[in-house]
Amino acid sequence: MITFLGAILLLIVGYIVYGKFVERVFLIDDKASTPAYTKRDNLDFVPMSWWKGNLIQLLNIAGLGPIYGAVAGALYGPVAFIWIVVGCIFAGAVHDYFSGMMSLRHNGAQFPSLVGRYLGKYAKAFINGVSLVLMILVAAAFTAGPAQLISQITSLSFIMSLSLIFAYFVIATILPVNRIIGRIYPLFGAILLIMAAAVAIALLFSEQPIPNVTVENLHPGELPVWPLLMVTISCGAISGFHSTQSPIIARTMKKESDGRKIFYGAMITEGVIALVWAAAGMTFFNGTTGLQGALDAGGPSGVVNAISTSLLGTIGGILAILTVVILPITTGDTALRSSRMILADVLAKFINMESKIKILFVSIPVAIPTFFLATIDYTFLWRYVGWTNQVVATFMLWTAAIFLLKHQKLHWICGVPAIFMTGVVCTYIFYAPEGLNLNYQLSMIIGFSLTSLVIVWYIAQIMKYKKKKQDSEASHAA
């Protein structure tokens, strides 16, 4: 219990202290006009209050991610607490802050455009494809579950339930951001917070003690912590999906000082939610072996329902249904919205997005494959979401590091977590079953070798920009 409460306290202190430090490194300017005003189109660029932005950002980036991912990560034991706290403060919240604030500084630019500006056109072309694939996979993975539940509690078939959800997606994607998202999503964000708070309080007063921190790996299947835990718990620690969502809110911000509350703050809140559900998973089923059995029997939805109903009674059951239905649908909605925005940027030279018909036209190419993928097994989709998600996060951190380096600021705050995540994704793809499924030791050697090459590239970038600074100072002195 002490570890759990201490971890929550560390996240709060991280927001107050390190979040402020990151803000100072970025150097905000509240006198500058934001894209919400300079590019206002009453569709994507619409001014909204910071508290709405925070709750919408939380809902967009969270959904079921910090619940399902944290429950699965709880199989490793209390070491998951360490990853959530450290990852959230020094990697995830930094990632989210820079993805949002860099978008703001570049007129509401999408993530791939930022990658192209700072990492080059080839990186942009690669990340355009990866980002669209990630959006489609996330929307599909987070839509199948709600459709199945709706079909179970109503007389509708699975396909009919799925069709209704996608009809909503199409409507929400082409409507102005302040119509549905701006009015209803803050309420859904509040539901996510209320449920997490209720579960946390119930855990604290339950008979089963919440385990204290240990670096021991308690996974029943003896799967290694590195790099699997860092991919299993992404939402709640660091998630590349967030960098695709941040521009949605960046286009609605009234001033730059709102960024820490919206982006860094939403990620810290998500970290707290992940801590709650990781603790619930470890505690409620009497250890990781019991949790593994519950996951095998009912999947993550069954685990969430069992915990909610047992700890919170009827109200918990209602909250569980709302969570499993509403939250993934809202994530799927904004995933398709951001993919529409990314595709619109790619096609901007060919199509002028001034009418809703053209916006709908751009939405169809991503909606159709998402619909069909939603009929595939959820666990199969989720395996590919994990690695793709963390690749996007790694690219965003490197983009932010080069942004800071170019502007002669403290680039290490992004560079160090970027190196860490490079090691994660390079090792994971060689070891994981959905990757090359190689021997663990061999995967470690290859992963760290590739990471070393990236570090060499990073040092070369540092030397390049250092020389540019020296040349500039010399020319000014002359």
Side-chain angles (χ1 to χ4, degrees), residues 75-128:
L75 289 170
Y76 293 89
V79 68
F81 291 155
I82 299 175
W83 166 236
I84 291 171
V85 172
V86 176
C88 188
I89 294 172
F90 298 105
V94 173
H95 166 281
D96 288 17
Y97 182 80
F98 277 92
S99 63
M101 295 304 291
M102 287 176 64
S103 174
L104 182 75
R105 282 281 175 90
H106 294 87
N107 296 314
Q110 287 293 303
F111 164 63
S113 297
L114 297 174
V115 172
R117 180 182 288 267
Y118 293 99
L119 298 184
K121 62 181 181 180
Y122 297 113
K124 179 182 179 181
F126 172 76
I127 214 66
N128 258 323

Side-chain angles (χ1 to χ4, degrees), residues 129 156 238:
L156 296 175
I238 177 171

Side-chain angles (χ1 to χ4, degrees), residues 110 112-113 128-129 131-132 135-136 251 335-351 353 358-367 369:
Q110 287 293 303
S113 297
N128 258 323
S131 296
L132 286 171
M135 294 304 94
I136 290 170
R251 297 181 178 193
L336 288 183
R337 188 180 189 92
S338 60
S339 63
R340 183 262 293 170
M341 291 162 67
I342 291 172
L343 199 56
D345 282 353
V346 173
L347 301 175
K349 294 181 180 179
F350 310 101
I351 302 175
M353 301 296 159
K358 292 179 180 178
I359 294 170
L360 179 61
F361 173 77
V362 173
S363 303
I364 290 173
V366 291

Side-chain angles (χ1 to χ4, degrees), residues 203-357:
L203 277 176
L204 292 174
F205 289 96
S206 68
E207 296 180 357
Q208 284 288 88
I210 301 173
N212 286 318
V213 71
T214 172
V215 294
E216 183 183 0
N217 181 5
L218 301 179
H219 198 290
E222 298 183 351
L223 295 178
V225 171
W226 172 277
L228 300 188
L229 177 61
M230 291 75 194
V231 176
T232 302
I233 301 181
S234 53
C235 292
I238 177 171
S239 168
F241 176 69
H242 300 185
S243 65
T244 67
Q245 301 302 292
S246 294
I248 295 176
I249 305 303
R251 297 181 178 193
T252 70
M253 288 171 57
K254 293 182 176 181
K255 55 183 179 179
E256 291 193 357
S257 59
D258 289 341
R260 183 166 70 102
K261 292 176 283 189
I262 292 173
F263 301 117
Y264 202 99
M267 184 63 219
I268 291 295
T269 305
E270 187 183 73
V272 172
I273 294 169
L275 278 175
V276 170
W277 284 100
M282 297 175 208
T283 306
F284 185 80
F285 298 99
N286 299 312
T288 57
T289 302
L291 174 59
Q292 182 68 76
L295 286 170
D296 291 340
S301 297
V303 167
V304 171
N305 184 60
I307 292 173
S308 303
T309 304
S310 298
L311 292 180
L312 305 176
T314 304
I315 295 175
I318 294 171
L319 285 174
I321 291 174
L322 287 173
T323 299
V324 173
V325 173
I326 294 175
L327 297 186
I329 289 176
T330 57
T331 300
D333 161 22
T334 52
L336 288 183
R337 188 180 189 92
S338 60
S339 63
R340 183 262 293 170
M341 291 162 67
I342 291 172
L343 199 56
D345 282 353
V346 173
L347 301 175
K349 294 181 180 179
F350 310 101
I351 302 175
N352 189 337
M353 301 296 159
E354 291 183 351
S355 71
K356 285 186 170 57
I357 296 298

